Amino acid sequence: MLCEFDYLAPRTMPELFDALAAGGPDARILAGGTDLLVNVRAGLVTPKCVIDIKKVSGLDGLSFDAKNGLAIGAAVTVNQLAEEPVVREKYGLLVACAESLASYQLRNRATVVGNIVNASPCADMAPALLCYDAQVVIASRQGSRTVPIREFFTGVKKTVLAQGEIVEKILVPLTHAGGSGAYEKLKRIKGHDLGIVGVALLKKDGLVRMAVSSAAPTPILVRDCKAGESADTLAQAALQAVKPIDDVRSSKEYREFMVQVYVKRLLERV
Amino acid sequence: MKITLTVNDQVYIRDAAPSKNLLHFLREDVGLTGTKEGCGAGECGACTVIMNGKSVNACLVLAPEADGAVIRTVEGEALNGELSPVQHKFMEHHAVQCGFCTPGMLMSIRDLLGRVPKPSVHQIKEAIEGNFCRCTGYQQIIEAVLDVTGQLTKDNKGELRHV
Ligand SMILES: Cc1cc2nc3c(=O)[nH]c(=O)nc-3n(C[C@H](O)[C@H](O)[C@H](O)COP(=O)(O)OP(=O)(O)OC[C@H]3O[C@@H](n4cnc5c(N)ncnc54)[C@H](O)[C@@H]3O)c2cc1C
């Protein structure tokens, strides 16, 4: 049984900000609920009020234009993104990361934005968004601001979001769109396990971009590399960027080892 | 709060606490206990139902989120006392042992067949990735889906083979 809370479903952004202000620290935003409701069930969070953002007009948008690229609204689910033809055509790495996340029915609920706001080190959408230099559009009653995704995460489950702020959408520019990308994620069982370590690699116009999940307090972007650099150099670059820990799921050494294995494997795939 | 929803083509109006999940709402308030609770945390898939055309874990949906929704559960599979073709094939292939995962499996398969009429073994495996079975084993379930989609034939020894 879940703790008792009120449920609000605002229809407009002003209504949403009113609800957030009224609820204060006891209010929680509900998107797909696949992180929030699990945490509520476990007693880790005990909200007095849950604010469902899925009915707020404008937040369900998933759009693409040839000048600005892709815009992913806060209510867009992981499956919606992965099944969108233009995303499959231009942002293959987003699709690869999306399809590695949980199970099909979970992805029908889980949102892309919820995944990054939850800010787990193993968030699977983060490596792709880092490689594409995504921008996070944050809105509050006072207005809006845009933060590059590599500055969005500040620690384990921590982000730059302040009280009263929400993520309205994620913008994915065209700079690295159309590149060839792939994601390798180490886990015990596909569809059920959080990643032990994950590496995304995106290659375009002689540039290689890599990002790693589950190997530092936040998902991280590796320094830009050149396609001409050797596999060993690229593996070293990734290794230098990560800072893994020992935990129940894996040792630090194994994570470091697998980061390098995956960089090399991905280079052969893209 | 008052919640109105359509389950298996029938409209239900019920009062429920806003913090109740759809799984408990279906079982306790609507009275449809076919949908099962396994882990209660989105991992096992025993509570999979179809909500507005998409498979979801009912344990991770709040009842008020389903206000106005169209839901299908395992009780909607059989029509006028006649099992659905997938249910028949589950019986034929012994894809049911204890039966606890079956309602969720059937819903994931219904969702799959709506998207992919002739799924490959790989696509079937991906579609039931979020459904744990702890006793039947997955092979019989995969065979039932292959059969219902016309992808199994008998070889000369009478053994079923993938076409
Ligand atoms: C069984 C299971 C398996 C999973 N497997 C994976 C996996 O393989 N990989 C992975 O990366 N994740 C996994 N997850 C975690 C989870 O599904 C994802 O992180 C998901 O993308 C979260 O999105 P959501 O819409 O469900 O978020 P919610 O649970 O609705 O929200 C998550 C958090 O963000 C806040 N929030 C949501 N949207 C906004 C917004 N727009 N503005 C401000 N705050 C907001 C909420 O208040 C909450 O604190 C798994 C979860 C479960 C239950």
Side-chain angles (χ1 to χ4, degrees):
Chain A
M1 212 38 217
L2 304 175
C3 69
E4 289 201 4
F5 49 74
D6 287 334
Y7 170 86
L8 297 174
R11 302 281 166 157
T12 64
M13 292 292 270
E15 272 177 40
L16 165 60
F17 293 130
D18 284 350
L20 267 180
D26 288 331
R28 282 287 181 289
I29 287 177
L30 172 77
T34 63
D35 278 315
L36 181 70
L37 297 181
V38 171
N39 289 337
V40 171
R41 183 176 182 274
L44 299 173
V45 276
T46 48
K48 291 214 172 70
C49 165
V50 159
I51 306 169
D52 185 354
I53 56 167
K54 291 189 293 297
K55 297 196 173 97
V56 175
S57 83
L59 290 186
D60 59 350
L62 175 61
S63 61
F64 174 81
D65 78 72
K67 213 171 107 223
N68 302 308
L70 189 67
I72 309 166
V76 172
T77 66
V78 174
N79 272 349
Q80 234 180 306
L81 180 80
E83 286 164 6
E84 180 67 34
V86 72
V87 177
R88 298 189 78 86
E89 184 200 324
K90 296 198 156 54
Y91 298 97
L93 183 55
L94 276 177
V95 178
C97 286
E99 288 178 346
S100 82
L101 189 149
S103 62
Y104 190 82
Q105 59 265 55
L106 209 101
R107 296 198 292 273
N108 271 338
R109 297 289 289 172
T111 63
V112 180
V113 167
N115 188 243
I116 66 153
V117 174
N118 189 56
S120 161
C122 53
D124 281 315
M125 294 314 299
L129 294 167
L130 282 163
C131 285
Y132 287 118
D133 272 340
Q135 303 283 316
V136 184
V137 180
I138 297 171
S140 70
R141 225 185 210 165
Q142 283 73 42
S144 78
R145 61 183 177 123
T146 301
V147 175
I149 183 123
R150 55 174 196 284
E151 291 165 22
F152 180 75
F153 306 112
T154 55
V156 178
K157 306 237 160 186
K158 289 199 173 69
T159 71
V160 298
L161 280 184
Q163 180 75 42
E165 285 187 323
I166 67 142
V167 172
E168 186 185 335
K169 60 185 165 192
I170 303 172
L171 303 175
V172 195
L174 281 159
T175 333
H176 307 291
S180 167
Y183 186 50
E184 288 273 6
K185 171 180 163 187
L186 183 67
K187 70 255 152 190
R188 287 179 314 166
I189 318 164
K190 182 164 188 302
H192 295 283
D193 246 5
L194 296 176
I196 294 168
V197 71
V199 181
L201 192 147
L202 180 66
K203 195 167 154 186
K204 192 193 171 188
D205 300 336
L207 192 70
V208 176
R209 309 205 95 211
M210 294 180 280
V212 188
S213 58
S214 309
T218 69
I220 44 149
L221 184 66
V222 177
R223 73 161 170 85
D224 279 359
C225 294
K226 294 202 176 61
E229 290 180 80
S230 72
D232 280 331
T233 313
L234 264 60
Q236 274 305 313
L239 186 61
Q240 263 148 33
V242 303
K243 209 174 183 303
I245 55 165
D246 285 311
D247 66 11
V248 287
R249 292 183 295 129
S250 162
S251 67
K252 169 177 176 290
E253 287 74 18
Y254 186 44
R255 287 191 164 103
E256 288 174 342
F257 180 75
M258 287 311 291
V259 165
Q260 301 174 71
V261 170
Y262 280 157
V263 169
K264 291 176 186 170
R265 227 179 256 180
L266 286 163
L267 278 170
E268 281 169 19
R269 277 180 61 191
V270 299
Chain B
M1 66 185 287
K2 209 169 252 350
I3 291 154
T4 307
L5 80 184
T6 307
V7 189
N8 306 328
D9 303 321
Q10 207 171 320
V11 177
Y12 296 86
I13 302 169
R14 296 286 187 273
D15 250 326
S19 52
K20 192 166 214 171
N21 67 29
L22 177 62
L23 169 62
H24 293 163
F25 182 79
L26 287 171
R27 291 179 56 87
E28 295 161 11
D29 300 276
V30 177
L32 295 175
T33 54
T35 306
K36 301 293 183 241
E37 175 158 31
C39 68
E43 309 216 10
C44 78
C47 68
T48 305
V49 300
I50 301 195
M51 176 165 146
N52 298 328
K54 292 188 186 315
S55 57
V56 301
N57 295 295
C59 70
L60 295 183
V61 176
L62 295 175
E65 293 185 86
D67 190 28
V70 174
I71 311 271
R72 290 206 79 81
T73 67
V74 68
E75 287 91 343
E77 280 293 293
L79 258 185
N80 306 322
E82 179 60 27
L83 295 181
S84 72
V86 185
Q87 284 176 313
H88 270 297
K89 291 300 175 192
F90 261 56
M91 283 174 59
E92 231 175 84
H93 290 272
H94 305 286
V96 182
Q97 188 163 284
C98 87
F100 201 83
C101 72
T102 313
M105 284 287 180
L106 288 169
M107 291 300 103
S108 285
I109 291 162
R110 174 174 276 274
D111 179 296
L112 169 70
L113 298 183
R115 289 180 281 126
V116 192
K118 248 192 204 319
S120 65
V121 170
H122 180 73
Q123 285 172 316
I124 299 169
K125 284 184 181 170
E126 288 211 316
I128 58 171
E129 221 164 61
N131 295 82
F132 276 175
C133 168
R134 298 285 86 146
C135 68
T136 312
Y138 299 92
Q139 191 54 38
Q140 295 91 318
I141 295 170
I142 293 166
E143 280 167 11
V145 181
L146 287 174
D147 198 2
V148 80
T149 52
Q151 302 185 81
L152 280 189
T153 51
K154 282 198 173 114
D155 68 9
N156 48 19
K157 290 197 196 107
E159 293 275 325
L160 288 172
R161 293 270 176 261
H162 190 352
V163 285

